[in-house]
Amino acid sequence: MIATIFEFEPNESLRILFQDLFRQYVSSSVTVQSEPPYNPLRYIKLLQAAIPPERGISLTAETFSVYAYRVYIKAYFSIRNIYGGDYRSFLGSDVSEFFPAVAVQDRMVFVPVGLARTLVGSIDEMPPFSALKEGGVLELDYQNETAIKNAVQVLAEILRREFMHNLQAYSEFENAAELDLQKIADDLNTDIDYVRHVLKGETRAFERSAYGHIGFELTPRSGPLNHWTKATLKLENNSDTDLTNVLVKIKGPVSVLREPIRTSLPAHSTIEETISIKPHDPGEFPIEISCVLPEDKSFADWIRGKAIWFTSTT
């Protein structure tokens, strides 16, 4: 994971402080790099992305050199009656008020305290930035080490929560149990060490390919509504891995006895379990059958099972 500090003047001690805090609270794999303002286009693009379109603010940046290198930033406003003019321009020392700023994985997260007022002149009616937790930025006092520490802690929790939400959504479209962690990291725009850090060692559920080689059969696949039916559940382990003390889960509008269903599946073996099943909904509907090892229990809902259609008779 890459964090970038956009600087107006080099500040090695600030970069080291951020790197220590990011590695402590976000992930030990975070690399903090600094980027001077010689090419401000990336910074301006990330800052623009942190401003909701409905604010009506458009940012541009140019660089030029006469006697010395200069950066020129301009903010255009489509909502003139709120911001008091068509544009505001920043040159020389005015530009320094935009720095330093911090981005994580190409997302702006921290800007200097007071930047909103600098940008638009007043924030009484419509602040230009959304809150950090809403995809915006946090205005940060870089002279206050305690404030920086608190900000990184807040960001770490936001990143973790967003990653878990994205991973949950991702699992709806991909069979995460059959994917390697590197593909998950690539698809979710992060790195494999951060995935391991967030999941705190529970990544085996995604790496264990045996889950994708288990077959299920249920006989019979019908029964009277709101009455118990004796059934046989057949489990087939077609992998090269012994699965010991697995928990079998059956999800759907049914009740199941005996629960919990625990069994062991040696490699390339088939076993049968006798259960009772009571359907609660009329008609035909799918039930999902899956199994999970004890060490992967917290990821039981993310391990994809097999859908079997069941018919409830009246």
Side-chain angles (χ1 to χ4, degrees):
M1 179 177 290
I2 302 295
T4 303
I5 301 180
F6 296 93
E7 299 179 320
F8 191 75
E9 298 289 347
N11 189 333
E12 183 69 10
S13 61
L14 183 64
R15 186 193 66 79
I16 293 174
L17 173 61
F18 268 112
Q19 179 152 295
D20 290 344
L21 292 173
F22 269 99
R23 290 183 174 180
Q24 179 179 356
Y25 295 111
V26 179
S27 169
S28 60
S29 66
V30 174
T31 297
V32 177
Q33 61 185 20
S34 58
E35 188 168 313
Y38 303 136
N39 184 4
L41 296 182
R42 177 167 174 255
Y43 168 65
I44 289 300
K45 286 181 180 179
L46 296 182
L47 188 63
Q48 180 76 70
I51 302 175
E54 61 268 21
R55 300 294 196 268
I57 302 174
S58 178
L59 302 177
T60 63
E62 298 179 7
T63 59
F64 62 93
S65 178
V66 181
Y67 300 107
Y69 176 81
R70 292 288 186 271
V71 176
Y72 178 62
I73 295 175
K74 200 167 186 178
Y76 298 89
F77 310 113
S78 62
I79 310 178
R80 181 175 179 177
N81 61 324
I82 292 180
Y83 299 119
D86 294 326
Y87 69 89
R88 293 173 63 85
S89 58
F90 307 89
L91 181 64
S93 61
D94 291 340
V95 173
S96 66
E97 298 186 47
F98 285 75
F99 300 91
V102 179
V104 176
Q105 294 293 95
D106 290 328
R107 169 187 169 183
M108 192 65 70
V109 291
F110 302 143
V111 295
V113 63
L115 180 59
R117 187 173 295 277
T118 297
L119 184 64
V120 302
S122 172
I123 57 172
D124 295 334
E125 295 187 55
M126 184 183 290
F129 302 113
S130 297
L132 180 62
K133 65 181 180 180
E134 298 170 356
V137 298
L138 175 67
E139 294 192 23
L140 185 58
D141 180 1
Y142 294 98
Q143 305 301 317
N144 187 330
E145 188 169 325
T146 299
I148 294 175
K149 178 180 178 181
N150 292 339
V152 173
Q153 287 179 297
V154 169
L155 175 64
E157 177 58 27
I158 291 174
L159 292 176
R160 187 198 67 80
R161 190 164 56 245
E162 290 179 349
F163 174 79
M164 295 299 288
H165 175 77
N166 291 337
L167 183 59
Q168 184 76 52
Y170 181 77
S171 69
E172 296 295 324
F173 297 96
E174 299 283 350
N175 191 347
E178 296 182 3
L179 296 175
D180 60 56
L181 295 185
Q182 188 61 61
K183 177 169 174 52
I184 294 174
D186 292 343
D187 289 347
L188 296 183
N189 190 33
T190 186
D191 58 71
I192 192 169
D193 290 329
Y194 183 69
V195 175
R196 291 193 176 105
H197 171 78
V198 173
L199 300 181
K200 293 181 171 41
E202 294 175 322
T203 57
R204 291 184 299 270
F206 297 100
E207 296 174 320
R208 217 181 295 283
S209 62
Y211 286 132
H213 296 278
I214 299 175
F216 306 93
E217 290 291 340
L218 182 66
T219 307
R221 294 190 181 186
S222 63
L225 178 66
N226 292 323
H227 287 79
W228 291 103
T229 296
K230 183 178 179 180
T232 299
L233 176 63
K234 183 169 74 173
L235 301 92
E236 185 174 5
N237 182 2
N238 296 306
S239 75
D240 297 325
T241 304
D242 293 334
L243 301 176
T244 303
N245 197 29
V246 294
L247 173 66
V248 180
K249 297 179 68 66
I250 299 177
K251 294 189 293 185
V254 296
S255 295
V256 177
L257 292 177
R258 53 188 170 85
E259 281 194 326
I261 305 171
R262 292 193 180 276
T263 189
S264 292
L265 288 170
H268 300 288
S269 69
T270 300
I271 67 167
E272 293 184 350
E273 297 285 340
T274 299
I275 64 171
S276 295
I277 188 166
K278 180 198 290 186
H280 300 302
D281 287 355
E284 188 179 21
F285 50 81
I287 58 176
E288 185 177 274
I289 306 176
S290 62
C291 68
V292 61
L293 290 165
E295 55 266 39
D296 298 333
K297 185 177 179 180
S298 59
F299 282 84
D301 291 337
W302 293 8
I303 295 175
R304 187 162 299 178
K306 178 180 179 182
I308 293 178
W309 285 90
F310 191 90
T311 302
S312 172
T313 59
T314 56

